Structures are given as C-alpha cells and as structure tokens.
Amino acid sequence: MKKNVVILGSTGSIGKQALEVIGWHRGSLRVFGLAAYRNIELLEEQVRAFDVPYAAVGEEAAAKVLQERLKDVRTTCLVGEAGLLELVRHPEADLVLVAVSGTAGLRPTLEAISQRKPVALANKETLVAGGSLVMKAALANGVPVIPVDSEHSAIHQCLNNENRNDVAKLIITGSGGPFREASFEELQKVTPEAALRHPTWQMGTKITIDSATLMNKGLEVIEARWLFEVDYDRIEVIIHPQSIVHSLVAYKDGAVLAQLGWPDMRVPIQYALFYPERRSNNLKQLDLASVRSLTFEKPDLKRFPCLRLAYEAGKIGGTMPAVMNAANEIAVFSFLKGEIPFMSISAVIAECMELHIPQTGEPDLDGILAADRWSREQAKKVIKDRHGG
Ligand SMILES: NC(=O)c1ccc[n+]([C@@H]2O[C@H](COP(=O)([O-])OP(=O)(O)OC[C@H]3O[C@@H](n4cnc5c(N)ncnc54)[C@H](OP(=O)(O)O)[C@@H]3O)[C@@H](O)[C@H]2O)c1
C-alpha cells in the first residue's frame, strides 16, 4: 500500500525538495494533496507531474484560475485556510507535511493531529507560537510529530531508543549565517541582497533572513523545547560554520551523540516521510577526509540579539513566543522591503515584547492567535513610529 502524502507549501523550498524525494520513491509514496499560496504556475506543473487529486491555493480568484487550467484532469481545487483544513482531514490522507512559512501552519497542524494523521513538521513557527497546544494534542491523539528541520531531525535520531531521563542537554548547531564574522558597524549596513546569500543552505526568504539574524536558532531552541520536552537551561546553541554536524545530544554519563551529513534538506525530509524506516537514495555520501576540519564557537548574543530574545520569550512562555514570532515576521518583511535596517529587526521585536503583557500558563488557540494579531499590528506601529518604515 502506498502512503498518501499531503504537502502544505509545495511550491516552497522544502515543498519542492519533498516532491523530489517522493519522485525517487513513487512505488511507496503517492502525492495526495498539494497546497500553495499564490504560485499557480508551479502548482499546476506539480499537480500534472504527480497526478494529484487535490490542490489548494490561498485565494478564491487563484483557485478559479487553477480549476480552469486543470479542467482536463480530475483535480479538485480548494481555497484558503478552509481548503488546507479539508485537505489534511481527508480520510485518505496518511501523512501531512507542513512546509508553509509562518504561523499559517498552526491550524492545519492541529487539525491533522485531531484527525490522527502523523505530521512531518518543517514549519517551526507552529511550535514557537503553539508548542504546548500542538504537543498536548499529539500526545492525547497518539500522533507522532516528526521533525523535518535538520537540527531537530538530528536530535530525533540521537534520541532513538535512549532513555529521555538520561539526557543532560541538547546541542543545536548553526552555521552562524553570512555575517558570522561581521563587526557591529558592518551589521548596521547589511542589505537584503547580502542577507539573502546564505553560506551553506538554499532556503525560502524568511528563514534565510532568520538565519542571518540568528533568530532561526532562537526559533529552533523553542521548537526543541516542545518537541523533546527539555527545559531551556538544557538547550545550547553552538556555531558550526561547516554545517556537517546537524546537532547533538549529551547524556548524563558524558557520552555525546551527534548526527552528521552533507547539508542537504532532502535527507531529513526523506527521514520524516519514511520514519521509522530508512531508505537508500543517490545523495552524496559524507566524506570526512574531504571535510578535514570541523570547528565550533559560541554564538555572540551582543551582535545577534535575536537569539537572546528567543530564549527570553521561551522562558517567559504563555503568549510571549507567539508575540516574538509575529513581530519577527513583520520586521523581516519590512527589512526585505528596504523599510528598516538589519539591526532594527531585533529592536522591533524587543519593543513588541516589552509592550506585551503575556497571558501566562497555557494559552488556547484563540489566545495564541489574538497575541499573534496584536503583535503584527504593534510591530507595524513601532516600525512606522520609531524606525522610519
Ligand atoms: N527551507 C529550508 O531549508 C527549511 C529548513 C528547515 C525548516 N524550514 C521551515 O519550513 C517552512 C517553509 O520554509 P521554506 O523555506 O520552504 O519557505 P518558502 O520557500 O518561502 O515556501 C513557503 C511555502 O508556503 C506556501 N504558503 C505560504 N503561506 C501560505 C498559506 N497561507 N497557505 C498555503 N500556502 C502558503 C508558499 O506558497 P507560494 O509559493 O504560492 O507563496 C510556499 O509554497 C518554514 O517554516 C521554515 O522555517 C525550512
């Protein structure tokens, strides 16, 4: 029996690579549904290439165009968030890969879990904003949430068959981004073009900027806290420019397990699509002699305050991570539009966090979404009033 896979965000960097992986394993995996926001051209191509029964897009007008273009095939076109929810709850869907960007992933992830569908989760913002809600629902429904992020996939592999009580700490690696060695003065002059040039990974624009500010590591720390139930004091970030060691787990006896490989997202994507099986592929095998040296250094929280802000938001908990995440999204897109300087991204987030009175404890979905909306409005106001946007 083939596994029916639904991909939310199929036209993005992760979505396209997931389809490539599925293309290698057509005997075992079938693309059952695809969702994008507005890239109808690519979505149509993907639907035709994989003979996909369901496709969803962000808006009504786009859905009409897509339906018209696909009238010679029997694909059903769905629209908006309701379309995403219909896709993931379809009784024939076996696995949902959540690879949309931003908080748009939260509701579909919860819906998939409530329908007892295993989730392969690339969208880290879902766990940052609603980690407690998602993991509680997963536990209650007995549904696995399999990480796609390379660092969390590495930790997932290093935890396999080990006793969770024996874990001393999680060590998340990061390349340090394109400005690892930049001075404070240089960071103030960073342009969007320079920030979009990542040294080791090819990714969507939002995550590429997050990698340059180190917010990506911050989001990953919060993601790890929820996926693996380890508190923030036992989650460490280490800069590793070669991106060969994808992350590590230190155990109480002093042993440290790591997962290594060339930086290629198709490896963790394939792992998540087949978990707990491993499958062969033709990807380049790691050759340590050609790598020669692996280096590690501590992150500099003064030059990269976003990482510090993420730890702070995570430790405060409640609605604060959702506020930090939403303010970051607004600030990143404002930077990309040339409205604010690179170093203002962290300043905007910090201001929104200061202004927020967090709902503590475990907020419900409405509470999280309200905090997310509040923060977006606040960030726009802060940008307009104080950062020249
Ligand atoms: N790229 C990586 O290597 C990587 C690694 C680890 C984790 N992640 C995480 O994976 C997620 C996706 O990253 P990415 O780099 O693949 O992003 P991306 O290239 O920007 O792609 C985003 C995808 O989501 C779709 N989308 C956005 N909003 C949507 C909505 N409201 N409804 C339906 N579809 C929507 C986009 O559709 P359109 O194309 O039509 O706009 C596109 O298909 C992010 O959360 C990121 O942090 C990415």
Side-chain angles (χ1 to χ4, degrees), residues 9-14 35-39 84 99-102 104 122-125 149 202-205 207 265:
S10 65
T11 53
S13 159
I14 293 289
Y37 193 72
R38 61 168 68 88
N39 190 347
L84 296 186
V100 294
S101 47
N123 175 263
K124 54 193 88 188
E125 294 89 344
D149 225 345
Q202 290 293 319
M203 308 175 287
T205 46
I207 183 175
M265 283 308 295

